[in-house]
């Protein structure tokens, strides 16, 4: 991933979490953000052991201060996790890597990871964006197009979208007539310009509704703060959502974090164990870092105990022939679906809303691909980009009046979720995990992603988009 885009997004997220000292991970883990000077542990004896082990290691190591080691807060009631301070967040060097090394030997003896970073989980167009939305022509329909069939409250499939909230005028888009949930907290600034990522949850709901009209969709604004949340808080918010609405048939989640650990996220342990014992299917975006580093929670799909309850989804490019340039990939990604230049509901159905681009496009694909990807086109200059004077200076502004095009695994995930829901209706299936397994078993489509032939889902109402980038003026 292009480092300049990552740094732009880092500053954006840091402003949304002003009281949390954040730092970026090593270069070999693109998109990794976490809380500086803090490690995340389970409560009880494990927390005490980690605290003692880190303090002992810091006592013996020059330059590290054992007095900084201590619990930040008590274990959370529902998740059991707690944060342990391992350094002065206002200091220079981040001490988290030192602290994690201090407990590695004990972890190897016990066969269980005891501590980890307190990651920032973010929507999958945030710290690793596919692109920003583009207004769709008024003459253009949704893509995937709205499927036939009606809504039956007695048999409707329950879908919970964990994302940003619904825009105020979402009911003006007919497919969202059976969609409820949280309102987007703030849509525009004092100047009336749309904030970045507003409409993300609405766009996702529109995709699910288009593919599966017989759904009751609830959108929860769990990620309204620039699409970012600390791992230590995320499971609690997920529990709040399912406690409020009940466990649905399907959860569509387009957020996560890269992480090199192979056993998941400590902060999500409790939620994932309860998910495993329910009948709910979690459909999760694979992330947009163009990397094979696991992206959690999508990567739980590769763990045997979660293989039937988590479906990880990567993105196909606009023509559907292969993987999108930005999509994460690897054996932990179960299936790929269209995720580039999809068209769905955004905002401005009642009154058009202006938007100013935050990022600039590139002269070459930032992931090294050689097709007409969204890195390149449509060209625009953004507010956050350095060197705007070299690309036209003034940031570009557009108007949204309903539908938009957007790209990312954020939107491939609800394509898969919609297809599972549609199958449940078509075949009278009540178990979403069985429906997902049968959907994948019946899928004959394949696509090439980074040299591998992988399963691909291409909805019958989806139209391939073949883009030719116009030549730049001489």
């Amino acid at each position: 991933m292009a480092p300049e885009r990552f740094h732009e997004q880092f500053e954006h997220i840091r402003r949304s979490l002003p009281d949390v000292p954040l730092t970026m991970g090593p270069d070999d883990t693109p998109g990794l953000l976490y809380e500086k000077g803090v490690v995340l542990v389970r409560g009880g004896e494990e927390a005490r052991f980690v605290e003692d082990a880190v303090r002992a290691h810091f006592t013996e190591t020059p330059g590290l201060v054992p007095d900084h080691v201590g619990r930040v807060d008590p274990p959370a009631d529902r998740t059991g996790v707690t944060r342990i301070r391992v350094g002065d967040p206002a200091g220079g060097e981040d001490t988290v890597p030192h602290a994690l090394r201090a407990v590695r030997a004990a972890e190897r003896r016990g066969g269980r990871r005891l501590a980890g970073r307190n990651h920032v989980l973010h929507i999958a167009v945030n710290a690793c964006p596919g692109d920003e939305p583009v207004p769709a022509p008024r003459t253009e329909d949704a893509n995937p197009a709205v499927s036939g069939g009606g809504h039956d409250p007695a048999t409707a499939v329950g879908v919970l979208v964990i994302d940003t909230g619904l825009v105020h005028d979402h009911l003006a888009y007919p497919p969202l007539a059976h969609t409820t949930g949280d309102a987007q907290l703030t849509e525009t600034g004092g100047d009336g310009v749309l904030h970045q990522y507003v409409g993300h949850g609405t766009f996702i709901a529109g995709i699910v509704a288009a593919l599966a009209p017989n759904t009751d969709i609830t959108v929860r604004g769990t990620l309204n703060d620039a699409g970012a949340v600390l791992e230590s808080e995320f499971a609690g918010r997920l529990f709040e959502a399912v406690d409020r609405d009940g466990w649905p048939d399907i959860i569509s989640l387009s957020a996560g974090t890269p992480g090199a650990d192979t056993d998941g996220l400590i902060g999500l342990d409790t939620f994932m164990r309860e998910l495993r014992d329910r009948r709910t299917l979690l459909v999760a975006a694979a992330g947009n870092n163009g990397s094979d580093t696991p992206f959690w929670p999508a990567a739980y799909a590769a763990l045997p105990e979660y293989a039937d309850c988590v479906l990880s989804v990567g993105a196909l490019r606009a023509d559907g022939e292969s993987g999108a340039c930005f999509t994460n990939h690897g054996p932990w990604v179960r299936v790929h679906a269209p995720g580039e230049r999809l068209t769905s509901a955004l905002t401005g159905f009642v009154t058009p809303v202006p938007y100013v681009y935050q990022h600039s496009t590139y002269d070459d694909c930032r992931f090294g691909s050689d097709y007409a990807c969204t890195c390149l086109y449509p060209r625009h200059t953004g507010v956050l980009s350095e060197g705007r004077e070299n690309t036209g200076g003034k940031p570009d502004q557009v108007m949204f009046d309903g539908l938009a095009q957007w790209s990312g695994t954020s939107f491939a995930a609800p394509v898969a979720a919609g297809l599972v829901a549609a199958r449940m209706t078509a075949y009278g299936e009540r178990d979403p995990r069985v429906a997902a397994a049968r959907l994948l078993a019946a899928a004959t489509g394949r696509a090439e992603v980074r040299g591998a032939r992988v399963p691909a889902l291409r909805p019958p109402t989806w139209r391939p988009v073949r883009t030719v980038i116009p030549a730049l003026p001489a």
Side-chain angles (χ1 to χ4, degrees):
M1 183 176 65
E4 60 267 34
R5 178 65 66 92
F6 180 50
H7 283 83
E8 291 168 10
Q9 290 297 332
F10 175 71
E11 292 301 324
H12 186 84
I13 290 177
R14 190 161 64 176
R15 289 194 298 272
S16 74
L17 300 172
D19 299 325
V20 181
L22 299 180
T23 189
M24 292 182 279
D27 292 339
D28 59 352
T29 309
L32 176 63
L33 304 175
Y34 62 94
E35 185 178 13
K36 184 179 180 182
V38 167
V39 295
L40 197 62
V41 301
R42 302 171 188 88
E45 291 298 324
E46 290 189 6
R48 283 188 285 274
F49 177 87
V50 168
E51 192 174 346
D52 292 343
V54 173
R55 187 176 290 113
H57 177 73
F58 281 21
T59 301
E60 300 169 358
T61 306
L64 300 177
V65 182
D67 291 345
H68 286 158
V69 180
R71 300 195 194 186
V72 179
D73 41 33
D77 291 338
R78 186 73 175 268
T79 65
V81 299
T82 188
R83 294 153 63 231
I84 294 179
R85 184 187 303 107
V86 296
D88 180 4
E93 182 183 8
D94 177 43
T95 54
V96 168
H98 296 286
L100 295 178
R101 283 195 292 270
V103 297
R104 285 297 181 248
E107 290 177 344
R108 287 193 291 271
R109 289 195 299 270
R112 174 180 168 105
R113 188 161 58 94
L114 301 177
R117 292 175 169 87
N118 191 16
H119 299 91
V120 176
L121 287 89
H122 42 73
I123 59 176
V125 294
N126 208 316
C128 49
D131 70 344
E132 293 175 83
V134 176
R138 286 180 174 271
T139 56
E140 185 173 314
D141 294 328
N143 188 20
V146 178
S147 303
H151 177 266
D152 175 12
T155 62
V157 178
V159 180
L160 174 61
V161 175
I162 301 293
D163 209 86
T164 62
L166 290 163
V167 297
H168 73 283
D169 58 352
H170 71 278
L171 290 177
Y173 183 54
L176 294 181
H178 305 289
T179 298
T180 60
D182 299 329
Q184 173 73 38
L185 292 180
T186 306
E187 295 186 17
T188 61
D191 55 1
V193 174
L194 199 68
H195 288 311
Q196 196 172 16
Y197 307 117
V198 168
H200 192 264
T202 305
F203 195 97
I204 287 169
I207 292 173
V208 175
L211 289 170
N214 192 31
T215 47
D216 288 330
I217 303 171
T218 303
V219 179
R220 290 294 168 215
T222 306
L223 299 167
N224 263 334
D225 292 333
V229 62
L230 287 171
E231 179 184 336
S232 56
E233 301 175 3
F234 190 44
R237 295 193 187 185
L238 292 174
F239 276 127
E240 287 177 6
V242 296
D243 288 346
R244 181 175 179 179
D245 303 306
W247 285 84
D249 295 304
I250 299 169
I251 296 175
S252 181
L253 176 64
S254 293
T257 177
D261 294 308
T262 58
D263 58 350
L265 302 176
I266 287 175
L268 286 187
D269 272 357
T270 306
F271 181 82
M272 293 303 298
R273 286 199 300 270
E274 187 159 342
L275 170 76
R276 182 185 58 196
D277 296 335
R278 300 279 180 167
R279 59 185 292 277
T280 298
L281 174 71
L282 174 62
V283 182
N288 304 337
N289 303 109
S291 167
D292 61 0
T293 299
F295 188 80
W296 305 93
Y300 278 98
L303 304 184
E305 62 266 42
Y306 297 107
D308 69 332
C309 63
V310 180
L311 179 60
S312 51
V313 188
L316 297 176
R317 70 191 213 184
D319 62 11
E321 295 179 359
S322 59
C325 65
F326 51 77
T327 189
N328 284 343
H329 51 91
W332 55 274
V333 182
R334 295 280 303 281
V335 72
H336 287 70
E340 188 174 56
R341 296 193 175 98
L342 299 187
T343 303
S344 183
L346 192 75
T347 191
F349 288 98
V350 177
T351 303
V353 185
Y355 177 75
V356 176
Y357 282 105
Q358 301 297 298
H359 310 288
S360 298
T361 45
Y362 295 79
D363 293 331
D364 300 293
C365 174
R366 63 187 187 273
F367 300 100
S369 294
D370 58 0
Y371 74 99
C373 66
T374 56
C375 299
L376 313 178
Y377 183 78
R379 296 192 66 84
H380 48 257
T381 298
V383 172
L384 298 177
S385 302
E386 296 181 3
R388 290 200 306 272
E389 65 279 1
N390 298 324
T391 56
K394 185 178 179 181
D396 292 316
Q397 178 174 305
V398 293
M399 296 293 291
F400 286 109
D401 57 358
L403 299 184
Q405 281 190 346
W406 215 342
S407 301
T409 59
S410 276
F411 314 122
V415 168
L419 289 174
V420 173
R423 182 181 174 94
M424 291 177 68
T425 295
Y427 291 90
E429 295 172 342
R430 302 312 304 164
D431 189 325
R433 299 180 184 181
V434 171
R438 290 175 176 169
L439 177 69
L440 295 184
T444 59
R446 291 293 184 271
E448 182 175 320
V449 179
R450 303 288 173 143
R453 296 291 292 175
V454 299
L457 297 172
R458 300 179 179 90
T461 63
W462 168 74
R463 306 180 303 278
V465 178
R466 303 188 185 278
T467 303
V468 177
I469 299 177
L472 294 175

